[in-house]
Amino acid sequence: MTDSFVPSKPRLRAELRVSAAGAAELHTSGGVLDVEPPDGMTQDDFVRLLSHLDGSTTVETLASENGIEDSLVREVVAPAVVWGLVDDGAVPRASSGLAVLSRLEEVFNRQLEDLIFSGPFWQAVLERPETVHHNVFYGFGLENWFFLFRENEFDAAVLALAENAEMRAMLNGFYHEEHRHDDIVVRAFRPLGVGKDDLLRARPLPTTSGLIKLLSWWARTDPMFFLATIGILEGRLDSDTVGANGQIAYDSFLSACDRVGVDADFVGPMREHARVNAGHDHASVSRELFALVPGVDEDTERRWIAKTHLFMEAYAEFFNGILDYYADPRRPLLRSVEF
Amino acid sequence: MSTLVGFRRPSLREGVTRTRTPDNGTEFSYLDGRRFVEFEFDPDRADRFHEFIDALASGELGASDLAAAFPGTPEEYAEMLEALDEQGMIVEAEQTAEAGMSGITAYATLRRHAEEVRATVHSPLIKALVDGTVTRDQLIGYAIEYWHVTHLCPRALAPVLARDDLGIEVWTKLMDFYQSERNHDRMMEKSLSAVGITRAQLLRTQPLPATAAVMASLGVYAYNFPVALIATLFPMEEPELDFLDLFRERCAELDLPEGFVKPIVAHSDVNEDEAHDAVSLDLLAEIPYLGTETVRECAKAVADVIEQRARIDAQIISWYGNGGGVRDLASAEYPTAAGKALTCAPLTLPA
């Protein structure tokens, strides 16, 4: 058997006693284990080595201080590790959950500027909304509806999060608050002559389904990473902007709608959804969850940093796909599957 | 301020620049000036505000000390930090992880906990083997349940291979373990065919409720709590002390053929050769950090599997000892007496 699991600073978790006959005994709450030195080691050296397993000394130092080979230390320690009588005295290397989320936010912030707001969709909506065909605004609403309609696919996957009861309770509350948000937005499509039945026969753009499926996959295979993305997905931008009609605009999209006079019956329910989300403060969900994450190791953080870039690419594609498709008014608003 | 709830040491993000404005305010700028926010200060409080900003940037003050160092009202403090946070300029500076341990320490903790739990449960099957009251049907029943475990094992483990939050070393070892567990049901089928039970028959049977519960537990952990799956492998794979010798002895006494006994012993040897009971340690040793609560949840899972295993033994005695027979529950008339014995069997927990 390999001994690669021998900890760098072995710590004995049993009480060492020496019998009248000089034999070593390990006492635990479960009983007593008689232990013997391996070949080539005296009983005295064996007992001395065991008494030095205090969790503050490395295997190499234990070997040199006891005048024996590293391999002999490992030979003594390995079976005790298997029995659970020796653990690791070294402090595990990990960062606090919020410190790691702060570093992921650096990627979110940068990519929001570099890929998303400087991309074609947001450049058009923010800088020259009057040149944007109204179908693009409707398309934004429709693709958001597809996203909300399928939100259960990813949110439900973390309802049973096993590692932390408080996080699980928070996620169940979040799910409850998100439930039927798609129905709020459905009302926005009345002026387009599009009802729920029409939506149920339609399918999203591949850039929307791609984002949905990525999130659903991560929620199942790397749930903590998925949780880190909620804040950005639920985030509202430019929250203090006052729209053209004097109402709080809630986000840049709604303020652009106001600027170019998109049908108020469309904008109303969209604003209502933004207001509900803002009321629940869903933009801070990731922060609240990660405040409960006690620690994250380096390899995990590296993997998340890489995935954050992938997530932001998919998110940028979600927006840009909307402009690409809906800017051409010859294309139908709904891509229906009819048979 | 709700977005900074839980921050232990709020600080200014590295890369955020600060510039004094002509009227003695401060402009914060980030991402090449694409994000910025400017604050003006009352002239009589300006110096104290600049001191506060230095303190914020240093990241050395805890959240409450930082709030106390703010030269204005709590509302103004909240407003200022929220304005900076909206531009993405605030980070958590506290790097230290909270209570947690390495995977090796987690293993040792779980292992010691398992010993404590094991000391409290008893197995009616082991007792029957020891005192010689075990019946032929119960020994065959043991083999049938063992078949269910080996038959269900691949599909219980498979979901964990889809996970992407374990690190490549752990994933690779899980893949190897999955491969090593495949086709073990064929060994058990050899054994059972020696007493006239065919694979076709076995495929129509249902496991005992406790066998099903154990395999369901592993399967669910594989889906949504991989560390608990890893943690529960050692109590699942660990051989019971002296079990095989007793089993062999009683089989001989009850005239069970050698063809029945041999594959069971062989399977146990395979598990031992492949050091299956060390799989938990081997995998956990690759995990650098686990939070205390996660380890506690794993400990619950380990304790539960130990108790469920004892329940399997109790149900083998009650079902197969009361004429329950092969559990082809859809076609045969349901043996109610065995069912009652099974469902009324006392728990194997201490009084």
Side-chain angles (χ1 to χ4, degrees), chain A residues 16 18 20 25 45-46 48 68 86 111-112 118 146 178 180 195-196 230 247-248 300 322 331:
Chain A
L16 173 65
V18 180
E25 298 171 350
D45 285 349
F46 180 59
R48 191 180 321 115
I68 54 178
V86 162
Q111 300 280 64
L112 268 175
S118 54
F146 285 118
E178 285 288 309
R180 304 201 76 164
K196 181 82 178 257
I230 295 178
Q247 292 180 322
I248 297 291
T300 300
I322 293 168
R331 287 173 169 156

Side-chain angles (χ1 to χ4, degrees), chain A residues 82 96 113-114 281 287, chain B residues 2-3 34-35 94 107 164:
Chain A
V82 175
S96 75
E113 299 300 335
D114 290 348
D281 198 14
R287 291 266 186 90
Chain B
S2 57
T3 54
R34 284 173 292 177
R35 294 194 179 184
E94 180 56 66
Y107 171 80
D164 189 29

Side-chain angles (χ1 to χ4, degrees), chain A residues 275-295:
Chain A
R275 201 193 316 270
V276 169
N277 260 5
H280 290 311
D281 198 14
H282 281 184
S284 58
V285 166
S286 295
R287 291 266 186 90
E288 288 169 25
L289 290 165
F290 270 73
L292 299 172
V293 174

Side-chain angles (χ1 to χ4, degrees), chain B residues 10-316:
Chain B
S11 180
L12 211 52
R13 185 181 291 283
E14 205 181 313
V16 173
T17 57
R18 293 174 279 155
T19 319
R20 290 271 183 118
T21 56
D23 54 2
N24 209 16
T26 296
E27 187 194 83
F28 294 86
S29 171
Y30 172 43
L31 296 174
D32 311 316
R34 284 173 292 177
R35 294 194 179 184
F36 56 89
V37 59
E38 188 181 323
F39 296 91
E40 289 173 15
F41 306 123
D42 299 337
D44 57 328
R45 287 193 294 170
D47 289 346
R48 286 164 60 213
F49 269 111
H50 291 299
E51 281 169 24
F52 168 78
I53 291 166
D54 287 341
L56 174 68
S58 77
E60 285 169 4
L61 293 188
S64 53
D65 290 343
L66 186 70
F70 185 76
T73 65
E75 292 73 28
E76 287 172 324
Y77 174 74
E79 205 177 304
M80 181 167 183
L81 261 73
E82 199 159 335
L84 289 165
D85 192 38
E86 273 201 15
Q87 300 303 319
M89 295 177 183
I90 299 292
V91 294
E92 168 62 276
E94 180 56 66
Q95 299 298 317
T96 320
E98 290 178 68
M101 61 193 86
S102 70
I104 293 173
T105 297
Y107 171 80
T109 308
L110 296 169
R111 181 85 194 210
R112 292 197 304 275
H113 182 64
E115 294 301 333
E116 284 169 23
V117 176
R118 208 174 269 138
T120 69
V121 296
H122 61 272
S123 155
L125 176 61
I126 302 279
K127 183 174 178 295
L129 282 168
V130 171
D131 61 23
T133 56
V134 73
T135 66
R136 199 173 190 274
D137 283 351
Q138 286 166 336
L139 291 174
I140 294 170
Y142 166 80
I144 293 173
E145 296 308 310
Y146 202 171
W147 176 82
H148 279 296
V149 170
T150 52
H151 182 66
L152 291 170
C153 192
R155 68 191 81 179
L157 292 176
V160 83
L161 300 176
R163 294 289 292 219
D164 189 29
D165 53 354
L166 299 164
I168 190 65
E169 291 83 7
V170 176
W171 186 86
T172 306
K173 285 178 177 182
L174 280 168
M175 182 60 125
D176 292 345
F177 183 66
Y178 171 78
Q179 301 276 22
S180 77
E181 288 288 328
R182 286 175 63 225
N183 298 325
H184 282 199
D185 55 346
R186 297 302 171 134
M187 294 173 91
M188 299 308 300
E189 282 161 24
K190 265 191 213 160
S191 165
L192 287 160
S193 72
V195 290
I197 298 172
T198 65
R199 174 174 167 85
Q201 244 178 312
L202 288 167
L203 288 171
R204 286 198 300 271
T205 63
Q206 289 296 320
L208 290 166
T211 311
V214 166
M215 298 316 289
S217 301
L218 299 185
V220 170
Y221 297 143
Y223 268 109
N224 86 334
F225 196 6
V227 186
L229 173 74
I230 292 168
T232 46
L233 292 177
F234 81 84
M236 275 305 288
E237 296 279 347
E238 226 164 20
E240 290 276 1
L241 234 51
D242 304 330
F243 176 84
L244 269 189
D245 288 343
L246 277 170
F247 183 78
R248 240 191 305 225
E249 215 175 291
R250 298 303 173 211
C251 285
E253 285 168 12
L254 294 165
D255 288 331
L256 279 158
E258 192 61 11
F260 172 74
V261 183
K262 258 191 177 167
I264 295 174
V265 175
H267 181 242
S268 181
D269 288 346
V270 167
N271 275 0
E272 203 166 320
D273 289 350
E274 293 177 358
H276 279 203
D277 56 324
V279 168
S280 293
L281 170 59
D282 196 32
L283 288 161
L284 284 168
E286 299 286 354
I287 300 177
Y289 173 87
L290 288 166
T292 305
E293 184 171 352
T294 299
V295 178
R296 188 179 301 115
E297 289 303 311
C298 289
K300 291 179 191 171
V302 166
D304 188 59
V305 160
I306 291 168
E307 291 183 352
Q308 297 286 11
R309 270 191 75 172
R311 272 186 76 220
I312 296 178
D313 290 358
Q315 291 182 352
I316 287 171

